[in-house]
Amino acid sequence: MLIAPSLLSCDFSVFRDEIVRIDQGGADIMHLDVMDGHFVPNLTFGAPVIKKLRKATEKPFDVHLMISEPHRYINDFADAGADIISFHTESDSDIDETLKLIEARGVKPALAIKPGTSPHVILPYLDRLYMVLVMTVEPGFGGQSFMPDMMEKVTFLKEEIKKRGISTLIEVDGGIAKDTIATAAKAGVDICVAGTAVFGAPDAKEAITELRGLCE
Ligand code: DX5
Ligand code: ZN
């Protein structure tokens, strides 16, 4: 299991140091939540902030766009150094066009679905995706409860990936903690995002190691 700490729960007054801390703590991927106050009722940060943080680590930057018109900003996030860009199928942008913009920049494309969205919407694009992000809470805030029902989507997508002989990864995001991560692992999840469980712990390194250990 790859662990992707969500920086949404970090201390933003020392954003760079927090990235270094979880890098040293064994984080596999840096999960960066971009919110526009429109697609979700919360605001975070954008491409200029990510660009400044890019030099803090060599670990991949997984940029989760929770914004209404992702196609307008793909080039900005690619310029900022994103390695993976996920955007929501529920956003206003054309999915094919937005994927093309990401592909043209050599960034790994990912599609994200909210809890109410069927995984079937992903199927026409599955072969082109580096990753599918299955939300296990309503996007917008950290610290919410994991929705175990979402594991049905993971199983469904895993089957389809296997059938097609492709290597698309499945990431889950929301409510991942000591008591929920084994459920995700059992369903076949490849990457777990964890905000509160990492940054709310007294020692991030211990928390990451423990989460990973619970998947074995
Ligand atoms: C929620 C974000 C998540 C969030 C997860 O919209 O996409 O990445 O930070 O936080 P926890 O792990 O606390 O549920
Ligand atoms: Zn996220």
Side-chain angles (χ1 to χ4, degrees):
M1 177 70 72
L2 297 174
I3 307 292
S6 163
L7 276 303
L8 182 63
S9 299
C10 84
D11 179 349
F12 286 130
S13 70
V14 285
F15 206 159
R16 189 184 184 284
D17 300 344
E18 291 284 73
I19 289 182
V20 171
R21 185 163 75 91
I22 54 166
D23 183 349
Q24 289 168 353
D28 297 297
I29 294 169
M30 304 293 162
H31 185 84
L32 296 151
D33 290 300
V34 176
M35 304 187 189
D36 65 354
H38 186 257
F39 183 74
V40 288
N42 197 6
L43 282 164
T44 55
F45 47 82
V49 172
I50 292 176
K51 192 171 191 169
K52 290 286 181 196
L53 295 166
R54 185 56 277 198
K55 287 197 188 81
T57 176
E58 289 187 350
K59 301 270 169 78
F61 270 16
D62 167 24
V63 176
H64 177 193
L65 299 180
M66 285 162 274
I67 64 179
S68 293
E69 297 187 286
H71 72 279
R72 292 176 55 198
Y73 304 96
I74 298 304
N75 279 321
D76 291 346
F77 288 103
D79 289 340
D83 297 282
I84 307 166
I85 296 180
S86 358
F87 65 97
H88 276 264
T89 61
E90 307 86 357
S91 70
D92 296 331
S93 296
D94 182 82
I95 296 176
D96 177 58
E97 288 303 316
T98 309
L99 285 174
K100 278 187 186 142
L101 290 170
I102 300 174
E103 289 159 352
R105 292 301 308 267
V107 174
K108 296 181 169 90
L111 276 175
I113 48 172
K114 296 208 275 186
T117 302
S118 160
H120 286 92
V121 303
I122 300 287
L123 296 183
Y125 312 100
L126 193 58
D127 295 59
R128 294 162 72 181
L129 301 178
Y130 172 73
M131 182 178 95
V132 178
L133 168 45
V134 175
M135 290 304 299
T136 40
V137 297
E138 283 300 333
F141 300 92
Q144 305 179 73
S145 299
F146 180 74
M147 300 169 137
D149 295 1
M150 298 301 126
M151 294 308 101
E152 276 174 38
K153 296 186 192 179
V154 174
T155 316
F156 171 78
L157 290 166
K158 271 280 166 181
E159 279 281 296
E160 195 61 32
I161 289 164
K162 203 171 148 198
K163 236 189 278 168
R164 296 188 191 190
I166 55 176
S167 53
T168 308
L169 302 173
I170 305 287
E171 178 177 67
V172 291
D173 184 4
I176 290 293
K178 280 189 266 186
D179 58 337
T180 55
I181 196 163
T183 305
K186 230 172 278 159
V189 168
D190 303 289
I191 307 171
C192 274
V193 175
T196 313
V198 170
F199 290 99
D203 184 320
K205 186 177 187 163
E206 262 172 37
I208 292 167
T209 310
E210 194 176 359
L211 287 172
R212 206 182 273 121
L214 288 162
C215 300
E216 282 157 13

